[in-house]
Amino acid sequence: MVAVGTGAAASCQRLIYPSALPILPASLSVLSYNVLLPNSQDGWWNFKMYNPPLGPGEEDFYTWEHRKSLLRERIGLVDADVVCLQEVSPLSFEEDFAFMTDDLGYDGVELFRKGRFRPATFWKKDRVELATPAMHKDRTLLTPFRLVGDEGGSVDDEYWHVLNCHLQAGKQGGRRVRQIFEGVTTAFKTAKNKLNEKNPENIKLIVCGDYNGGSECGAIQFLEKGSIGPDFIEDGEKVSSKEKVLPIPPLVDALSANGIDRGGDPPPATLVVPELISLMVKEGDETAYTNPQFSEDVLDRLHRIYSRFATVPTPDDTTQLQMGKSDVEGWLTIINLQVGRGTEFRNAAKYMGWVEPPIVSDESGSESKKVEKSERPPIYIPNDGILNQDDFIGVYLDELRQGKFWGIAWDLAALGEALPVKDVFRARYDHMYCSSSLLPTVVLDTISDVACPSASEPSDHLPVCASFVRNQKV
């Protein structure tokens, strides 16, 4: 077992799911989990994230009801004091996550105030109490807590700060660094100015969530080193125009600290998905990251698909066929299950001649306010529109450059041109860091040897979990 309480933890115990985090005296346990949007309402594309495509009898695996049951089982078994979720939808949040309160006893909750993909933090009020109102920053949600004793009321006058993060994805290293800096600085200022902590630089802080980057990214390096400057380059760009310094000492990777014994192996990957990039992207291209091109194999598959759908003769050569409206609608129905949704539909419509109506000006001649999505005129496939082969490839190039490898792979399989996917891509994008005033005493690893999501995994991410006690040496 683990030495806890008045002394420092001798080492950190490692557990492997399925297992619960033990309830230890004077400790705080945290689970962080990107649960994958779509939830029950917002979004429809989840079925495309399963590779190979779901077969007969497996259609329910991608539904929210099935995925929710897996989430309920896992979160309930782990039984952490605080649960930090990412990618929840505000459109159906109360209904989708009612099980957290009704079934699992998480009667405290804070939902991030804006955005489509939101963080949400849950806690059990019989274990912790909120010390100040939660603070909402750029894709980070800060909740300061006090521990609750067995008889109710606070255990002591100490505070524990939990920063739930879903850092910006893509080529946004500078913004991710700013998000971390703002979140940690907010925690420090809260400790100093709102809670009047004696030594705010020794704040008890846990920074967890989906960082959208591995150990080499600027946000992680900033946390571990305590500072970062213009000499740090990520994706070919500076992450900061000047030196940034955290207001507290560097933080520690809780999942690889304090003597955790994994037999020399690193912490497990939290993003486990089909390895598609080597199959899809043209090799040897210096612009493969910023402007990727398809491999010859994928281009050949798309050409064959186009030939099977094209039925409209070209004006100059009746032996050459192109895709007309009905051809495009047939293709869209197969890949998206209906016409009228998805970026494939929207981009195809533009290539075929659909033009967005101009913004209407008000009487003063200035442009009117931004039109709400529900008020915009519908996009449609023009009756006489043609989608030529280059534009058909262009539709999928746009998907590629948005990083939708999973969507392209699903479409190819559904259209009879499945890629020979054999390998799994593994990365650790979900992290849990703690300040030097805390020690991780238990970590709970979740491991998957197959690509996620799957029949047993509700998300493309795996959770990270740990329990912490105060570091008596600080």
Side-chain angles (χ1 to χ4, degrees):
M1 197 53 187
V2 182
V4 297
T6 57
S11 63
C12 185
Q13 181 185 17
R14 181 206 182 199
L15 302 175
I16 299 176
Y17 185 85
S19 179
L21 285 171
I23 299 176
L24 306 172
S27 70
L28 183 72
S29 58
V30 180
L31 178 152
S32 177
Y33 204 168
N34 181 325
V35 297
L36 179 60
L37 192 86
N39 302 160
S40 69
Q41 291 186 29
D42 185 8
W44 52 270
W45 56 85
N46 242 33
F47 62 89
K48 290 193 174 192
M49 302 193 76
Y50 290 74
N51 191 294
L54 298 172
E58 299 176 330
E59 297 89 345
D60 289 343
F61 290 166
Y62 80 87
T63 64
W64 176 247
E65 284 305 312
H66 177 79
R67 294 172 54 222
K68 182 172 69 172
S69 69
L70 296 176
L71 292 171
R72 180 193 298 113
E73 178 182 5
R74 171 163 292 161
I75 295 171
L77 176 58
V78 174
D79 193 29
D81 302 328
V82 177
V83 174
C84 296
L85 303 182
Q86 300 88 41
E87 288 201 21
V88 304
S89 169
L91 298 181
S92 54
F93 175 72
E94 292 184 3
E95 178 182 353
D96 289 348
F97 294 93
F99 72 88
M100 291 290 291
T101 300
D102 298 344
D103 301 339
L104 305 184
Y106 288 94
D107 44 1
V109 59
E110 183 75 18
L111 174 65
F112 195 69
R113 289 175 183 160
K114 59 183 179 179
R116 183 182 187 185
F117 296 72
R118 300 191 187 185
T121 300
F122 293 84
W123 62 92
K124 294 191 173 184
K125 291 183 178 179
D126 62 347
R127 300 184 190 175
V128 295
E129 62 182 12
L130 197 62
T132 70
M135 278 146 279
H136 304 240
K137 297 299 178 179
D138 183 12
R139 296 175 70 98
T140 65
L141 177 60
L142 177 68
T143 44
F145 294 109
R146 295 172 71 178
L147 302 184
V148 173
D150 294 336
E151 304 298 326
S154 301
V155 170
D156 50 38
D157 293 330
E158 298 186 348
Y159 300 96
W160 303 63
H161 303 254
V162 178
L163 188 65
N164 182 357
C165 307
H166 190 186
L167 304 186
Q168 184 65 44
K171 195 178 178 181
Q172 297 283 340
R175 185 174 174 188
R176 287 189 288 272
V177 165
R178 291 193 299 273
Q179 288 167 335
I180 284 293
F181 182 66
E182 182 183 49
V184 172
T185 300
T186 298
F188 171 76
K189 290 181 177 179
T190 299
K192 181 179 180 180
N193 301 325
K194 291 186 178 181
L195 299 175
N196 297 316
E197 296 188 44
K198 294 180 180 179
N199 298 300
E201 65 279 1
N202 291 331
I203 182 177
K204 289 184 285 298
L205 173 64
I206 298 161
V207 182
C208 62
D210 180 358
Y211 285 45
N212 271 305
S215 59
E216 74 290 344
C217 77
I220 294 292
Q221 293 297 307
F222 188 26
L223 283 175
E224 292 186 350
K225 296 180 179 180
S227 64
I228 199 165
D231 58 332
F232 191 96
I233 306 299
E234 183 174 340
D235 295 332
E237 298 179 356
K238 298 177 181 180
V239 298
S240 180
S241 60
K242 60 182 181 180
E243 190 80 6
K244 283 186 170 64
V245 180
L246 292 177
I248 63 174
L251 282 77
V252 175
D253 181 359
L255 304 183
S256 61
N258 200 24
I260 300 171
D261 184 9
R262 293 189 178 91
D265 293 332
T270 64
L271 184 68
V272 182
V273 295
E275 200 292 295
L276 299 172
I277 295 177
S278 65
L279 299 174
M280 283 190 190
V281 179
K282 183 178 180 180
E283 294 183 3
D285 190 340
E286 294 182 356
T287 63
Y289 182 80
T290 58
N291 187 37
Q293 302 294 325
F294 281 123
S295 65
E296 290 300 322
D297 178 61
V298 170
L299 285 175
D300 288 343
R301 293 172 188 276
L302 291 174
H303 290 157
R304 290 194 293 268
I305 291 167
Y306 184 86
S307 296
R308 290 199 291 269
F309 279 94
T311 66
V312 179
T314 62
D316 298 331
D317 185 352
T318 57
T319 64
Q320 295 294 318
L321 302 179
Q322 302 178 102
M323 289 176 68
K325 179 180 179 181
S326 62
D327 304 326
V328 169
E329 289 177 340
W331 159 62
L332 290 170
T333 300
I334 291 175
I335 64 168
N336 292 343
L337 307 186
Q338 68 182 58
V339 178
R341 65 185 185 184
T343 48
E344 304 98 333
F345 161 72
R346 293 190 287 275
N347 287 331
K350 292 175 183 177
Y351 278 125
M352 296 174 73
W354 179 84
V355 178
E356 186 172 3
I359 298 174
V360 179
S361 299
D362 59 24
E363 294 179 356
S364 66
S366 61
E367 290 185 348
S368 59
K369 293 182 178 180
K370 184 178 179 181
V371 179
E372 294 296 329
K373 186 176 181 180
S374 60
E375 299 174 353
R376 298 174 191 168
I379 300 172
Y380 60 88
I381 304 293
N383 289 330
D384 58 350
I386 293 293
L387 184 67
N388 64 41
Q389 183 170 270
D390 288 344
D391 291 343
F392 180 76
I393 302 297
V395 168
Y396 278 108
L397 274 174
D398 185 71
E399 299 295 295
L400 182 72
R401 290 163 186 169
Q402 291 184 55
K404 297 180 182 178
F405 306 103
W406 46 272
I408 299 170
W410 194 94
D411 288 6
L412 291 173
L415 295 165
E417 293 285 352
L419 293 171
V421 182
K422 297 179 181 179
D423 298 325
V424 173
F425 172 81
R426 294 178 173 86
R428 189 157 74 102
Y429 282 4
D430 303 81
H431 304 270
M432 189 170 292
Y433 276 75
C434 65
S435 57
S436 58
S437 61
L438 293 175
L439 286 173
T441 58
V442 182
V443 298
L444 176 60
D445 287 346
T446 302
I447 300 170
S448 178
D449 294 324
V450 299
C452 304
S454 65
S456 58
E457 291 295 343
S459 173
D460 53 344
H461 289 251
L462 299 172
V464 292
C465 318
S467 294
F468 301 88
V469 296
R470 182 162 60 88
N471 185 353
Q472 300 291 338
K473 295 181 180 180
V474 174

